[in-house]
Amino acid sequence: MRNTSSPAWNEHAQEDHAHHHVLHRTFIFSRSCSTGHKRLDVPKEHIKEKTDVTKHIKLKKEAKKRRFEGDDGILELEEVEDVEVIYEETQHGRTARFKVRETATDEKETQAKTSAGDDEDEEKEVEETFDISLLPEWSEFGLHPRLCSALHRQNFLSPTPIQKKSLPPALKGKDVIGVAETGSGKTLAYGLPILQYLLEQKRSSNARTLQALIIAPTRELALQVASHLNACIADPEKESGKRHRAVRIGTIVGGMAVQKQLRVVERGVDILVATPGRLWELIEENDSLSQQIKSLRFLVLDEADRMIETGHFVELDNIVRLTTRQMRTTQTDEASLTEIEGVREDNEGKQQDDPFQTFIFSATLSRDLQQNLKRRKRTPSKLKSKGGKPISTLDELVSKLDFRDPEPEMIDLSPKGGVVSTLQESQVECLSADKDVYLYYFLLRYPGRSLVFVSSIDGIRRLLPLCELLQLHAYPLHSQLQQRQRLKNLDRFKSTPNSILIATDVAARGLDIPSVDHVIHYQIPRSADVYIHRNGRTARASRSGFSLIMCAPDERRILRALLASLDRVGENEIPHMPIELDLLDNLKERVQLAKRIDAATHKVKKEKHERNWLKQAAEAMEIELDSDLDVSILDEDAPSKRRNESKEKQQVQALKTELKDLLSRPLVAKGVIKKYITSGARSVVPELLNSNGVLIFLFIAYNVVLTGAGADKILGYKRGDARSDLMGVKSSTERNFAK
Ligand SMILES: Nc1ncnc2c1ncn2[C@@H]1O[C@H](COP(=O)(O)OP(=O)(O)OP(=O)(O)O)[C@@H](O)[C@H]1O
């Protein structure tokens, strides 16, 4: 399997770093005048060997003054090649010194360049080989040796079904629409044909223009796709971590420094993986980028349906319009569709000359949409409802895609009912108010890596402190976190074996986190597609996985509707999770105590906040507070205030001590004498009773189930995993699909 331990964003950063090194570029940071900071001008006399400088310093035209995102315009950046800038703090202030690389070195380098070309040319000159008998199942595709060796290195010994089906048409230059279950290798299904094309190109110079644009709905997914593709072109024989620079991959995602991303693009990339919002923002600013997009060779929409859901239609629409080369229209009415159709007809004859390819991949493209995609070339009007409007935003978008084939290759390998065969679904019925304790029960009973989906950010903010108080390793992931924090949390979740990621649906699509054991739907997902994608974070690449739906009585109707839309018979076909009620009761006490602590802590904080706010507001408005108001409540230092506050703090502290004590006590199954216990999941008491109901004294190994320090000793239960516990009750409810 692919080594995903090194996260995409780190790899990306390393790549960028390596790149700087190779180009011998140095960045000069200067202060912007507009902010009142002094610009750091470098006096000419500080530049030693002026002629060398004129010879070597090439201030790049486009690298003028630039702002760093999030820096309020204070920092500006210039790039200088072959010159190192050294800053020194002197008694006259900060000065900069240029250190020009030695002429001898330059000459040596020039010689090296002229004799051997640069690294890239050097790499291309070396004939790469791969013994395809090591990968017989991939042989039919004729992939480049570099790709074969990467597949072999990652132990991808055979193509997944979607790869097997989509590679032949994609490698022949056809447009492909691929629908296949989550975790089935769709990234390489579209990625390998692109890499193959790029590796086969004979490059006459280092200059490169964008060849492939991959648009993904979330930042994490975009970074992951880039990392996945990079892993297929890295050459392990060469310097470790170095990329084959015959293919350069850049990413453009929101929440990260714009300038850095722009620089990567300006230096030239072959593949750009981007989220639509940020990409459009840069296109608007950068003419060269929009020009490059107009002459793409490949356009990929990964999880297109999700991009539309998240309100990125306008940006995506604009980007897609740029790729429709023959047509520059801004309308979406009948006339524009007719125009599109006309252009397509014209284009059909030109396919050979203009081999632009479009790939659309998702785990959830509705059948209707697939049908529409297929027939739209012939009858675009069918894309419209009776009212004359496109039948959905996705329909509208795909109606604009510039497919070159008369019929794109449609590959639908989505499983019946939307469930991956290695996934075990389950459900638990409980009141909304009891969900916390049921969740805690599950997390404690079935240690592992669990991804808990909640429907709102507030839900995460409520659950997180509870988990912390209960000594569970939980991390949040939602759109209001800073991007750096999002990636950090994801990374921690990946690297901590018994941990919990509490996430909104920002984590539902595409994320390939190794070994997620459980997916928990704390609330019923809002659509069948979301259910499929959330579940898809586990049971990936043929591994087994487990999902649990927590369903309150008022959510039953929604669940039923959700399953019906997947052509499934009814909610009872999903087996119910067995629950040890005595254990649940024990856990209730802990959860309630944790909630009291949280509420009390919150109250203290809230009071303090309100006091401060009132005081500050009054001061800001220069008004006096009502004389009836007890001003001592505003005075942080008033003795009564301090007394109250310290009393409240003490109460919180006392509750914390109580909880700590409770957590340190092992949970023991009812009727078990501590001396004679085993461990794990199912109560062993019935098995220890003889036919007369007398407890048989057996010596059974004293094991414990561990999910976190102290809080997780469960004694008197057989060790088991969620799947095997469920099997015991599942027999009567085998999965059933509507005929
Ligand atoms: N041929 C292969 N053999 C084994 N593993 C593979 C193969 N191709 C890809 N994988 C691995 O399978 C995992 C899932 O791949 P990928 O992320 O492309 O799935 P996906 O179909 O795009 O999933 P999702 O629909 O959730 O986005 C990855 O870890 C990937 O490295």
Side-chain angles (χ1 to χ4, degrees):
M1 288 292 133
R2 181 167 71 96
N3 175 12
T4 41
S5 60
S6 161
W9 41 97
N10 285 344
E11 286 180 18
H12 188 65
Q14 280 163 14
E15 182 191 4
D16 204 39
H17 177 78
H19 192 58
H20 287 203
H21 177 72
V22 170
L23 288 176
H24 304 289
R25 275 185 181 155
T26 312
F27 303 122
I28 301 176
F29 296 91
S30 57
R31 300 275 168 193
S32 154
C33 303
S34 61
T35 57
H37 291 264
K38 228 177 158 191
R39 192 186 153 87
L40 183 67
D41 284 321
V42 184
K44 285 197 176 107
E45 57 272 22
H46 282 168
I47 303 173
K48 92 175 155 100
E49 294 176 65
K50 213 165 143 199
T51 45
D52 274 359
V53 173
T54 6
K55 201 168 104 196
H56 294 283
I57 297 178
K58 293 173 213 141
L59 284 169
K60 287 185 73 185
K61 265 194 223 152
E62 69 272 25
K64 292 179 201 153
K65 298 168 195 168
R66 288 175 189 148
R67 276 197 306 119
F68 270 124
E69 186 185 52
D71 212 5
D72 294 325
I74 293 172
L75 284 172
E76 289 179 352
L77 167 76
E78 291 169 340
E79 294 183 12
V80 182
E81 286 182 41
D82 300 338
V83 178
E84 195 188 343
V85 186
I86 300 165
Y87 291 107
E88 283 174 354
E89 296 297 338
T90 69
Q91 53 181 4
H92 305 294
R94 197 165 180 239
T95 59
R97 196 158 59 79
F98 284 166
K99 191 178 159 201
V100 182
R101 288 190 303 125
E102 293 301 305
T103 318
T105 323
D106 285 353
E107 271 169 17
K108 234 176 19 199
E109 289 219 347
T110 319
Q111 264 176 15
K113 277 189 183 171
T114 42
S115 60
D118 70 2
D119 283 0
E120 189 169 316
D121 293 335
E122 206 175 7
E123 283 203 49
K124 274 165 64 183
E125 275 170 24
V126 179
E127 179 88 21
E128 289 184 64
T129 55
F130 179 82
D131 177 4
I132 196 65
S133 69
L134 296 170
L135 283 182
E137 302 210 32
W138 289 95
S139 60
E140 62 179 290
F141 307 115
L143 293 175
H144 190 279
R146 169 74 55 117
L147 297 177
C148 291
S149 78
L151 292 168
H152 189 252
R153 191 171 61 248
Q154 293 174 94
N155 211 17
F156 297 170
L157 300 183
S158 53
T160 64
I162 184 71
Q163 291 163 358
K164 211 171 163 54
K165 284 262 183 197
S166 58
L167 282 176
L171 288 165
K172 270 190 219 140
K174 283 183 76 77
D175 297 324
V176 178
I177 296 161
V179 189
E181 63 186 31
T182 50
S184 58
K186 293 188 286 292
T187 315
L188 289 190
Y190 64 72
L192 288 175
I194 297 174
L195 295 174
Q196 172 78 5
Y197 170 83
L198 292 168
L199 290 167
E200 277 176 346
Q201 294 306 295
K202 295 273 173 276
R203 234 180 257 283
S204 54
S205 79
N206 283 344
R208 54 191 82 216
T209 50
L210 189 60
Q211 300 287 324
L213 174 63
I214 300 170
I215 311 183
T218 65
R219 301 161 183 185
E220 287 81 359
L221 181 55
L223 293 168
Q224 179 187 291
V225 167
S227 158
H228 203 149
L229 300 185
N230 263 324
C232 288
I233 48 167
D235 183 355
E237 305 284 309
K238 309 249 163 178
E239 236 178 278
S240 67
K242 188 177 157 192
R243 312 280 172 234
H244 186 308
R245 283 179 297 114
V247 178
R248 252 186 216 153
I249 301 172
T251 48
I252 286 186
V253 295
M256 297 179 116
V258 173
Q259 292 307 332
K260 200 169 165 193
Q261 295 179 350
L262 256 184
R263 270 205 321 277
V264 172
V265 174
E266 279 168 2
R267 276 180 201 144
V269 291
D270 304 285
I271 303 176
L272 194 57
V273 193
T275 48
R278 173 59 65 85
L279 177 62
W280 183 244
E281 199 184 316
L282 294 198
I283 289 173
E284 282 187 309
E285 276 180 25
N286 189 300
D287 237 22
S288 131
L289 182 57
S290 71
Q291 287 308 323
Q292 291 187 59
I293 287 176
K294 282 179 187 165
S295 51
L296 282 176
R297 173 67 179 76
F298 297 96
L299 173 69
V300 183
L301 301 185
D302 195 346
E303 315 275 11
D305 40 338
R306 159 81 174 165
M307 286 187 269
I308 307 251
E309 273 170 29
T310 51
H312 280 304
F313 177 75
V314 175
E315 290 100 334
L316 204 54
D317 185 46
N318 287 337
I319 298 163
V320 164
R321 276 167 190 278
L322 281 183
T323 66
T324 49
R325 284 175 249 175
Q326 315 291 320
M327 163 187 53
R328 303 284 172 258
T329 173
T330 51
Q331 290 155 36
T332 58
D333 57 7
E334 184 76 50
S336 77
L337 277 174
T338 315
E339 188 187 343
I340 291 167
E341 191 55 23
V343 171
R344 273 191 199 117
E345 276 161 14
D346 288 350
N347 284 347
E348 279 173 22
K350 295 182 198 156
Q351 279 171 48
Q352 301 306 318
D353 310 337
D354 191 9
F356 174 66
Q357 278 178 276
T358 307
F359 299 146
I360 301 181
F361 280 79
S362 180
T364 45
L365 274 191
S366 73
R367 294 265 142 78
D368 282 352
L369 181 68
Q370 292 178 43
Q371 285 308 316
N372 282 337
L373 277 167
K374 246 184 130 86
R375 67 185 179 212
R376 73 186 187 110
K377 278 187 110 44
R378 281 179 245 124
T379 50
S381 54
K382 284 197 180 154
L383 285 172
K384 299 196 170 180
S385 67
K386 282 183 192 146
K389 291 206 165 129
I391 56 173
S392 75
T393 42
L394 190 54
D395 280 307
E396 189 182 340
L397 180 84
V398 295
S399 71
K400 294 177 187 150
L401 289 171
D402 200 6
F403 287 128
R404 288 300 196 255
D405 295 331
E407 291 222 337
E409 190 77 24
M410 191 78 69
I411 300 162
D412 183 358
L413 303 181
S414 54
K416 238 181 169 183
V419 185
V420 173
S421 61
T422 52
L423 176 79
Q424 176 59 60
E425 297 168 287
S426 74
Q427 62 170 316
V428 66
E429 268 186 314
C430 60
L431 296 173
S432 290
D434 288 338
K435 281 192 176 180
D436 293 342
V437 69
Y438 275 82
L439 175 66
Y440 182 43
Y441 169 93
F442 185 89
L443 295 172
L444 219 55
R445 274 285 296 272
Y446 305 111
R449 210 172 264 117
S450 298
L451 179 41
V452 182
F453 283 105
V454 292
S455 54
S456 73
I457 298 177
D458 278 352
I460 299 182
R461 292 192 178 129
R462 197 186 60 76
L463 276 176
L464 200 67
L466 288 187
C467 286
E468 276 162 16
L469 286 164
L470 293 165
Q471 297 177 4
L472 300 169
H473 299 293
Y475 310 105
L477 187 71
H478 56 78
S479 58
Q480 281 179 16
L481 283 179
Q482 278 194 345
Q483 187 58 29
R484 198 166 0 142
Q485 195 59 46
R486 271 164 75 163
L487 297 176
K488 210 164 158 182
N489 289 352
L490 205 46
D491 206 15
R492 284 180 180 155
F493 177 59
K494 283 181 181 181
S495 57
T496 314
N498 288 325
S499 59
I500 302 147
L501 188 71
I502 311 179
T504 56
D505 287 321
V506 75
R509 292 257 181 168
L511 287 190
D512 186 40
I513 307 167
S515 338
V516 172
D517 302 292
H518 315 118
V519 164
I520 299 164
H521 307 270
Y522 188 87
Q523 278 108 7
I524 306 289
R526 70 202 135 78
S527 72
D529 286 0
V530 177
Y531 179 61
I532 291 171
H533 286 285
R534 282 181 177 184
N535 281 346
R537 296 322 98 210
T538 183
R540 296 179 70 74
S542 307
R543 275 173 288 209
S544 65
F546 192 89
S547 89
L548 173 73
I549 301 173
M550 303 184 80
C551 188
D554 59 344
E555 291 175 307
R556 286 239 76 83
R557 201 176 39 84
I558 311 172
L559 180 60
R560 222 173 295 136
L562 184 151
L563 292 173
S565 70
L566 289 170
D567 288 343
R568 294 170 65 173
V569 180
E571 75 268 28
N572 282 327
E573 66 149 281
I574 297 184
H576 289 257
M577 199 66 215
I579 303 288
E580 299 284 347
L581 292 175
D582 57 320
L583 182 58
L584 195 77
D585 280 345
N586 268 326
L587 297 181
K588 240 178 204 161
E589 206 184 341
R590 293 176 170 194
V591 173
Q592 278 165 357
L593 198 49
K595 282 184 169 176
R596 277 175 64 197
I597 298 169
D598 187 46
T601 316
H602 194 66
K603 188 171 161 240
V604 173
K605 275 191 198 153
K606 198 173 159 213
E607 278 173 1
K608 200 169 173 179
H609 175 78
E610 278 171 3
R611 257 194 331 267
N612 287 343
W613 181 83
L614 199 57
K615 210 171 151 183
Q616 280 164 12
E619 278 168 15
M621 289 187 280
E622 296 181 353
I623 53 168
E624 285 193 15
L625 289 164
D626 195 330
S627 55
D628 292 344
L629 190 72
D630 177 7
V631 283
S632 71
I633 68 155
L634 299 180
D635 185 359
E636 287 293 313
D637 299 326
S640 61
K641 189 87 264 150
R642 281 217 305 267
R643 266 199 307 279
N644 262 351
E645 213 174 278
S646 87
K647 205 166 136 199
E648 279 167 356
K649 275 187 184 160
Q650 275 170 16
Q651 276 169 359
V652 172
Q653 203 44 54
L655 290 174
K656 279 188 176 169
T657 314
E658 196 183 330
L659 179 62
K660 210 170 160 193
D661 178 53
L662 207 55
L663 292 175
S664 67
R665 280 188 251 147
L667 294 155
V668 183
K670 216 172 181 176
V672 172
I673 302 168
K674 247 185 172 179
K675 214 168 162 188
Y676 304 103
I677 41 190
T678 181
S679 70
R682 208 170 314 118
S683 171
V684 292
V685 177
E687 293 167 26
L688 298 182
L689 293 175
N690 69 8
S691 53
N692 300 320
V694 178
L695 201 58
I696 306 164
F697 286 83
L698 293 172
F699 180 78
I700 302 164
Y702 186 98
N703 290 321
V704 290
V705 178
L706 288 176
T707 59
D712 43 20
K713 295 184 179 71
I714 305 180
L715 308 173
Y717 294 92
K718 254 188 194 165
R719 190 185 292 271
D721 62 24
R723 179 180 280 265
S724 57
D725 274 9
L726 190 69
M727 289 308 171
V729 293
K730 197 191 154 197
S731 47
S732 61
T733 53
E734 281 302 321
R735 208 177 273 156
N736 241 316
F737 297 112
K739 298 282 176 295

